[in-house]
Amino acid sequence: AFNEASSVGAVVESALLHANNVVVVDDASHDNTAKVAETAGATVLRLPEQLGAWGATQTGMRYAVRKGFDIAITMDADGQHDSSEIPKLMAPLVTSKANLVIGACPQRGSPLRRLAWQWIRGLSGINLGDFTSGFRAYDRLAIRRSASWKATLLEYQDIGVLMLFQRHGLIITDVSVTMSERVRGHSRIFGDWGAVIYYMTYTFILGLS
């Protein structure tokens, strides 16, 4: 969560209806995100400097490793993800059909984003409907891979992490979910052309490697 004081409280309260523990990683917010999250019932991990979405996610994963969690669900703090779909996300893990489950909502993507996804499928050989969704369920193996030093070298949670998982034999799948419109802010990747060019170049180099 980065400067999500207006939405994080409702997200925490909703998530607590479907999870035993809710952890909010405060990515060095300038507002009172941490206080609002704690008041709503979350354990808050405060980062001393901003690491971005993947760095913050890794912080949560390392916490999950230390606590011995069997499953971890990642969600955005802006209210896009529907907590009621957590059981759907967990189902393939509980039945040992997957190690990582991605909540996919392809229809939310702009034409540019859908074109990028199609390009990524061809480059990586990973056939998923939504590469950039942060609504995910990880089993114990996936949690540990996410917390590893190799994963720390990656900048985004999508193609690099997915290829790392695939290389180590983890099974990745996706399930269809609904997502709300972003209330505020914009996509870090698809917010402007400079970011898009950087992301696509980064992804291309990962694919070649």
Side-chain angles (χ1 to χ4, degrees):
F2 177 67
N3 291 344
E4 297 288 3
S6 62
S7 58
V8 70
V11 172
V12 170
E13 291 172 357
S14 177
L16 281 170
L17 299 175
H18 305 280
N20 296 326
N21 300 276
V22 174
V23 179
V24 172
V25 182
D26 180 21
D27 197 18
S29 297
H30 307 311
D31 62 5
N32 62 339
T33 291
K35 182 178 180 181
V36 172
E38 286 177 340
T39 301
T43 297
V44 178
L45 310 179
R46 303 189 189 200
L47 296 177
E49 61 181 75
Q50 191 175 2
L51 296 183
W54 178 237
T57 298
Q58 273 206 304
T59 300
M61 290 302 176
R62 287 169 178 162
Y63 179 88
V65 170
R66 289 188 179 186
K67 293 297 182 179
F69 292 164
D70 293 316
I71 292 176
I73 309 291
T74 58
M75 299 177 63
D76 292 351
D78 61 6
Q80 285 192 88
H81 302 149
D82 184 354
S83 298
S84 68
E85 303 211 71
I86 288 177
K88 181 193 294 187
L89 227 61
M90 290 175 56
L93 304 185
V94 174
T95 56
S96 300
K97 293 181 179 178
N99 303 106
L100 171 66
V101 183
I102 299 175
C105 186
Q107 59 270 29
R108 71 189 173 96
S110 64
L112 176 61
R113 184 178 297 198
R114 293 181 187 182
L115 179 62
W117 287 341
Q118 184 176 354
W119 183 74
I120 291 171
R121 289 187 197 100
L123 182 67
S124 67
I126 300 175
N127 188 24
L128 294 171
D130 189 341
F131 287 91
T132 58
S133 171
F135 194 21
R136 301 182 175 190
Y138 299 72
D139 73 358
R140 186 183 289 266
L141 285 174
I143 291 171
R144 290 192 171 276
R145 285 296 173 197
S146 297
S148 68
W149 69 267
K150 285 186 178 181
T152 304
L153 302 176
L154 301 167
E155 188 169 347
Y156 302 102
Q157 67 180 346
D158 43 33
I159 187 64
V161 173
L162 298 179
M163 291 175 72
L164 179 65
F165 282 13
Q166 188 180 61
R167 182 178 180 185
H168 287 281
L170 274 66
I171 300 172
I172 306 167
T173 191
D174 55 10
V175 296
S176 179
V177 299
T178 58
M179 292 189 190
S180 303
E181 290 291 330
R182 187 186 294 269
V183 176
R184 51 185 289 275
H186 57 79
S187 170
R188 178 190 172 197
I189 297 172
F190 297 98
D192 61 73
W193 279 106
V196 169
I197 292 170
Y198 176 84
Y199 173 77
M200 298 299 279
T201 302
Y202 179 88
T203 300
F204 180 70
I205 292 172
L206 278 176
L208 290 179
S209 67

